[in-house]
Amino acid sequence: MGDEIELISDGDGLAVVGDATAVERFLSSAGVPSKDLQLHQKLGSALNAGSGVAQAGSQLAANSGRWVKLTEESAKALKLGQAMKGSTDGVSRAIATTSKGKVTKILEFAKPGSVGSMLTNPAMLAGAAGIMAQMAMQQTMEEITEYLKVIDEKVDDILRAQKDATIAEMIGVGMVIDDAMLKREHVGRVSEVTWSSLHGAAQSIATTQAYALRQLDALAEKMEKKSRVGELDKLAGMAEATVEEWLAVLARCFQLQDGLAVLELDRVLDSSPGDVDRHRAAIRAARQKRRDLISTSTARLLSRMDAAAVGANEQVLFHPLKAGRVVRSGNEVAGDVIVFHETIGVEGDRHAIEPKPWREAVSDARDDAVEITEKGAKAVGEFGVRTFEGAKTGAEKVVGTISDRFRGRGAASDDKTRDGE
């Protein structure tokens, strides 16, 4: 077993299971950070259900398990194949041989029950995948904590200033969830008493999330209805001052929802290990739905901010200061949103819009004026030519008509003369 390790991927993370020395050597050679999975300790209830699982449990106890967050960088460093790093609701598994910490051969993509796999039971694999899901969510929670520290003063300001009952309730729920996570860390499980204290927490968090999203949507709607640069300047300044605060509220909501999901999986692992995989898939789907809901609102706001910046650039000739502020505020808000997106795992990018220099606007206006003048002069020239040609044609028609009349009169006189004769 010393030359073999088992790789388990759920798209968010990679579990490396095997002899402690082999696992450590493999991860060290790749230079990627990892965390202890504690599979044996956390699968306590599942390990007691039947001899086949107990045998797998004894194998796990004799081996080590480490978890690595899957990113483009870590997947490249570990030299994983596409099947092991793809984002999927399922779980990819492989047994690999190693030499001096490097994978030399993927022996097989193992299925539950296959010979040579340390996780030989489907329940064990489901339990391991459940723990991996917890590790991924806890990693995000830690990253959100770091994100909130960076804007700690702003977060404190908005939370202290809020008199709205919705925000106040979320703050209280957050304290309860933080307390439950602390107890879980010390006790190793989530007791019935701890779980019962979380009743109604999910609804309170969802209500607060909806409230914060409405604030962003309302700001986007206001910007959509304005086109004058003075109005856009005022709204862009308001966005720069408030958007980051509402993003902080959304980040805290996402963090608390992840915390609830971690606690929920612990309860399922403890009471209904056979349901772990279904719960893991449901939590993953709900988590992605929250991301999509949040990114829809933030993307709409960014779209309106970008439109305002483009519109302001078009008016920079007559409103240079206000137009510049609109563009700068838009870039600030976009930067805040991108950092927030990265923190909760939303992919995307946005290129900053450059404020149009006033001199460039003057130059463009001068070029436009010259072009308009040239077109006008050409039009006048064409008009003059057409007028001259028209007059000439008209004169010719008049002359022709007079000639005809004179010829007619002359003919009549000749007739009269002949009649007189």
Side-chain angles (χ1 to χ4, degrees):
M1 295 296 291
D3 294 329
E4 290 184 358
I5 55 174
E6 186 163 2
L7 307 177
I8 309 167
S9 171
D10 62 356
D12 291 324
L14 179 78
V16 183
V17 183
D19 176 75
T21 302
V23 169
E24 184 65 30
R25 188 187 299 121
F26 171 64
L27 294 175
S28 296
S29 66
V32 295
S34 64
K35 295 182 178 180
D36 187 5
L37 270 173
Q38 298 180 330
L39 289 174
H40 186 265
Q41 297 91 319
K42 292 181 179 180
L43 293 178
S45 298
L47 297 179
N48 296 324
S51 58
V53 181
Q55 182 181 359
S58 64
Q59 286 181 316
L60 282 176
N63 288 280
S64 173
R66 306 286 299 182
W67 179 86
V68 177
K69 180 180 179 179
L70 270 183
T71 62
E72 289 186 12
E73 292 76 15
S74 64
K76 183 178 180 180
L78 293 166
K79 295 181 173 59
L80 300 177
Q82 185 60 40
M84 291 299 294
K85 65 180 179 180
S87 180
T88 172
D89 286 341
V91 178
S92 301
R93 305 171 66 245
I95 297 175
T97 57
T98 64
S99 176
K100 297 181 180 180
K102 298 185 182 298
V103 172
T104 56
K105 184 180 180 182
I106 301 291
L107 296 181
E108 61 177 317
F109 285 96
K111 297 180 180 180
S114 61
V115 178
S117 173
M118 286 173 279
L119 301 179
T120 56
N121 186 284
M124 291 297 298
L125 176 61
I131 293 172
M132 290 174 65
Q134 287 180 310
M135 297 291 286
M137 288 184 287
Q138 286 178 277
Q139 178 69 27
T140 300
M141 291 176 72
E142 292 175 7
E143 291 170 2
I144 290 176
T145 297
E146 292 302 313
Y147 164 76
L148 293 175
K149 282 181 181 178
V150 174
I151 55 174
D152 187 53
E153 291 183 4
K154 291 186 178 182
V155 177
D156 286 344
D157 288 343
I158 189 174
L159 295 182
R160 289 195 188 106
Q162 285 297 330
K163 297 179 181 178
D164 193 284
T166 302
I167 302 291
E169 188 172 353
M170 185 271 287
I171 296 172
V173 167
M175 295 175 67
V176 174
I177 293 176
D178 289 342
D179 182 65
M181 292 293 289
L182 184 62
K183 290 177 179 176
R184 170 185 181 268
E185 183 179 343
H186 283 81
V187 178
R189 60 187 294 270
V190 179
S191 68
E192 183 64 36
V193 174
T194 300
W195 184 247
S196 63
S197 68
L198 301 171
H199 179 72
Q203 182 176 349
S204 297
I205 300 169
T207 300
T208 304
Q209 176 182 287
Y211 181 82
L213 289 175
R214 281 200 302 270
Q215 305 307 309
L216 297 181
D217 289 340
L219 185 56
E221 288 174 6
K222 289 179 181 178
M223 298 200 71
E224 194 170 0
K225 297 175 181 177
K226 304 298 182 181
S227 58
R228 297 176 60 181
V229 71
E231 296 170 328
L232 292 175
D233 180 27
K234 183 178 179 181
L235 286 173
M238 183 187 304
E240 186 177 357
T242 61
V243 166
E244 190 175 38
E245 296 172 349
W246 291 116
L247 294 178
V249 173
L250 290 172
R252 179 60 171 159
C253 288
F254 199 91
Q255 184 184 48
L256 294 177
Q257 287 161 329
D258 272 359
L260 274 179
V262 169
L263 297 168
E264 177 185 336
L265 280 174
D266 260 14
R267 288 296 297 163
V268 176
L269 280 166
D270 202 22
S271 59
S272 306
D275 295 331
V276 169
D277 204 47
R278 286 192 294 272
H279 272 272
R280 180 191 65 83
I283 286 172
R284 185 187 181 96
R287 199 166 183 251
Q288 185 57 48
K289 185 177 180 180
R290 292 201 305 272
R291 285 196 185 107
D292 293 341
L293 185 64
I294 292 171
S295 61
T296 297
S297 290
T298 52
R300 181 187 177 192
L301 177 62
L302 285 186
S303 175
R304 296 316 310 162
M305 295 292 293
D306 285 351
V310 172
N313 266 339
E314 293 175 353
Q315 303 179 58
V316 71
L317 181 62
F318 299 106
H319 307 281
L321 296 179
K322 291 179 179 179
R325 285 198 297 266
V326 172
V327 176
R328 283 190 292 273
S329 294
N331 287 332
E332 284 292 327
V333 171
D336 293 340
V337 171
I338 290 172
V339 172
F340 166 73
H341 278 176
E342 291 175 349
T343 303
I344 66 171
V346 174
E347 295 182 356
D349 195 11
R350 184 254 189 197
H351 296 290
I353 296 177
E354 294 294 332
K356 188 174 185 178
W358 184 79
R359 289 185 178 181
E360 183 180 331
V362 171
S363 176
D364 290 346
R366 185 173 57 247
D367 293 342
D368 291 342
V370 171
E371 183 179 354
I372 291 171
T373 302
E374 289 175 348
K375 287 182 178 178
K378 184 180 180 183
V380 170
E382 289 176 350
F383 176 74
V385 171
R386 285 197 300 268
T387 302
F388 173 75
E389 291 176 348
K392 181 180 178 182
T393 303
E396 290 173 348
K397 287 181 179 179
V398 170
V399 171
T401 303
I402 293 173
S403 299
D404 290 342
R405 286 179 181 176
F406 274 114
R407 280 196 299 269
R409 288 179 182 176
S413 299
D414 291 342
D415 290 342
K416 288 179 179 180
T417 303
R418 282 194 291 270
D419 289 342
E421 291 179 346

